[in-house]
Amino acid sequence: AIFGAGSDLQIYHDGSNSYIKENGIGNLFIDATSLRFRTGSGTETYLTADGNGAVSLYYDNSEKLATTSTGVEIKEDLTIGSSANNLGGTAGNQLTPLTLRSDTANTDSLLFTTERLADGTDWATAAHRIQRKVDATTMGYIQFGSNATDTITFGEGSTERMRIDGAGNLGLGTDSPDTLMEIVGADPVLTIRDTATGITNANATLRLAESGGSSSLGGYFDIAMTGQNLTFSHSTDGSADSEQMRLDGVNGRFGIGQTAPNSPLEIVKN
């Protein structure tokens, strides 16, 4: 069937396939209050569209995606990319299959990137990264994977600041922590700060402990800033501790077994 001057609209079958073809000037409109695209037998739905309502897409007659009054709802899993997204085997190759961009005065984006860290073809030389980018400046990131190790790294721009390696070790300033936590830097300072603002109320503590039964706290030592004093306390079983030594920060006196030393060094045996 041919409609319009010059065969503008054609509906025909060529012996193998059926066609609806619009060749004229303007658009092809399909007006319907509720539109349904279905299989030839009418038993499965491809797409539904309703006036003042949702447009929905289906797979195997199951709804997977629908528009809403506020955006889009994905009914099940979302997979971005496929085996056709070949990363390549050369160090530095990148793919960014997903970019989330905000509507601000700047081009403010969150990039989901896969990068080849070293020459290779499998996961051992690749990593996945989530990184913020504002205009042309790359900012903070979190990266999963690093040269055949199950590593999570954190950084700024292209500089790594911290990592958790596959053994659960945390490294600050180092990419090869040897212990549960290792901090490396020029003249490093580790600060434990109490939120109390008055020196007499300060109570910041470093606790060295063993595990008791059922993951409870066993024996421990506390090194604490207590007011203007530095105290050393001990508990043998995880219960309340008892003070063993103290440095009096006001008078510069050191007491062992004495909480109020009266001389530069005072030792009291209980």
Short mmCIF file of all heavy atoms in Angstrom, two decimals, residues 93-98 111-115 127-131:
data_model
loop_
_atom_site.label_atom_id
_atom_site.label_comp_id
_atom_site.label_asym_id
_atom_site.label_seq_id
_atom_site.Cartn_x
_atom_site.Cartn_y
_atom_site.Cartn_z
N ASN A 93 46.22 1.90 28.40
CA ASN A 93 44.92 1.81 27.73
C ASN A 93 43.80 2.01 28.74
O ASN A 93 43.86 1.52 29.86
CB ASN A 93 44.75 0.45 27.06
CG ASN A 93 45.62 0.27 25.84
OD1 ASN A 93 45.91 -0.84 25.44
ND2 ASN A 93 46.07 1.36 25.23
N GLN A 94 42.75 2.75 28.33
CA GLN A 94 41.64 3.03 29.23
C GLN A 94 40.31 2.89 28.52
O GLN A 94 40.20 3.14 27.32
CB GLN A 94 41.73 4.46 29.81
CG GLN A 94 42.80 4.67 30.85
CD GLN A 94 42.67 6.03 31.50
OE1 GLN A 94 41.90 6.89 31.08
NE2 GLN A 94 43.43 6.25 32.57
N LEU A 95 39.29 2.52 29.29
CA LEU A 95 37.89 2.57 28.87
C LEU A 95 37.10 3.24 29.98
O LEU A 95 37.30 2.94 31.16
CB LEU A 95 37.33 1.16 28.64
CG LEU A 95 37.81 0.39 27.41
CD1 LEU A 95 37.25 -1.03 27.45
CD2 LEU A 95 37.36 1.09 26.13
N THR A 96 36.22 4.17 29.63
CA THR A 96 35.33 4.81 30.60
C THR A 96 33.90 4.60 30.13
O THR A 96 33.31 5.46 29.47
CB THR A 96 35.66 6.31 30.75
OG1 THR A 96 37.03 6.47 31.10
CG2 THR A 96 34.80 6.96 31.84
N PRO A 97 33.32 3.43 30.46
CA PRO A 97 31.99 3.11 29.94
C PRO A 97 30.86 3.87 30.61
O PRO A 97 29.75 3.89 30.09
CB PRO A 97 31.87 1.61 30.20
CG PRO A 97 32.76 1.37 31.37
CD PRO A 97 33.90 2.32 31.22
N LEU A 98 31.12 4.51 31.76
CA LEU A 98 30.06 5.22 32.46
C LEU A 98 30.59 6.52 33.03
O LEU A 98 31.63 6.55 33.69
CB LEU A 98 29.49 4.35 33.60
CG LEU A 98 28.41 4.99 34.48
CD1 LEU A 98 27.17 5.32 33.64
CD2 LEU A 98 28.04 4.07 35.64
N LEU A 111 33.69 9.45 37.07
CA LEU A 111 34.10 8.57 35.98
C LEU A 111 34.30 7.15 36.48
O LEU A 111 34.96 6.93 37.51
CB LEU A 111 35.42 9.07 35.36
CG LEU A 111 35.50 10.55 34.97
CD1 LEU A 111 36.87 10.86 34.41
CD2 LEU A 111 34.41 10.92 33.99
N PHE A 112 33.76 6.19 35.77
CA PHE A 112 33.98 4.78 36.05
C PHE A 112 34.88 4.24 34.94
O PHE A 112 34.45 4.11 33.79
CB PHE A 112 32.66 4.02 36.10
CG PHE A 112 31.80 4.38 37.28
CD1 PHE A 112 31.13 5.59 37.33
CD2 PHE A 112 31.67 3.51 38.35
CE1 PHE A 112 30.33 5.93 38.43
CE2 PHE A 112 30.89 3.83 39.44
CZ PHE A 112 30.21 5.04 39.48
N THR A 113 36.14 3.97 35.28
CA THR A 113 37.17 3.71 34.29
C THR A 113 37.85 2.36 34.54
O THR A 113 38.09 1.98 35.68
CB THR A 113 38.23 4.83 34.31
OG1 THR A 113 37.61 6.07 34.04
CG2 THR A 113 39.32 4.57 33.27
N THR A 114 38.16 1.66 33.44
CA THR A 114 39.04 0.50 33.50
C THR A 114 40.36 0.88 32.84
O THR A 114 40.37 1.45 31.75
CB THR A 114 38.42 -0.70 32.76
OG1 THR A 114 37.16 -1.02 33.35
CG2 THR A 114 39.33 -1.92 32.84
N GLU A 115 41.48 0.59 33.51
CA GLU A 115 42.79 0.99 32.98
C GLU A 115 43.74 -0.20 32.98
O GLU A 115 43.75 -1.01 33.92
CB GLU A 115 43.38 2.11 33.82
CG GLU A 115 44.75 2.58 33.32
CD GLU A 115 45.31 3.73 34.12
OE1 GLU A 115 44.64 4.18 35.07
OE2 GLU A 115 46.43 4.17 33.81
N ALA A 127 42.80 -2.63 36.24
CA ALA A 127 42.16 -2.17 37.47
C ALA A 127 40.93 -1.34 37.11
O ALA A 127 40.84 -0.76 36.03
CB ALA A 127 43.12 -1.33 38.31
N HIS A 128 39.97 -1.29 38.04
CA HIS A 128 38.78 -0.47 37.89
C HIS A 128 38.88 0.72 38.84
O HIS A 128 39.25 0.56 40.01
CB HIS A 128 37.52 -1.27 38.21
CG HIS A 128 37.24 -2.36 37.21
ND1 HIS A 128 36.69 -2.11 35.98
CD2 HIS A 128 37.42 -3.69 37.28
CE1 HIS A 128 36.55 -3.25 35.32
NE2 HIS A 128 37.01 -4.22 36.09
N ARG A 129 38.52 1.90 38.35
CA ARG A 129 38.66 3.12 39.13
C ARG A 129 37.39 3.95 39.07
O ARG A 129 36.76 4.07 38.03
CB ARG A 129 39.84 3.95 38.61
CG ARG A 129 40.04 5.27 39.35
CD ARG A 129 41.18 6.07 38.72
NE ARG A 129 42.45 5.36 38.81
CZ ARG A 129 43.57 5.74 38.20
NH1 ARG A 129 43.57 6.81 37.44
NH2 ARG A 129 44.67 5.02 38.34
N ILE A 130 37.04 4.53 40.23
CA ILE A 130 35.96 5.52 40.31
C ILE A 130 36.62 6.83 40.72
O ILE A 130 37.26 6.90 41.77
CB ILE A 130 34.90 5.11 41.33
CG1 ILE A 130 34.32 3.73 40.99
CG2 ILE A 130 33.78 6.14 41.39
CD1 ILE A 130 33.40 3.18 42.05
N GLN A 131 36.48 7.87 39.90
CA GLN A 131 37.20 9.11 40.15
C GLN A 131 36.35 10.33 39.79
O GLN A 131 35.63 10.34 38.80
CB GLN A 131 38.49 9.15 39.33
CG GLN A 131 39.37 10.37 39.60
CD GLN A 131 40.78 10.21 39.08
OE1 GLN A 131 41.01 9.50 38.12
NE2 GLN A 131 41.74 10.83 39.74
#
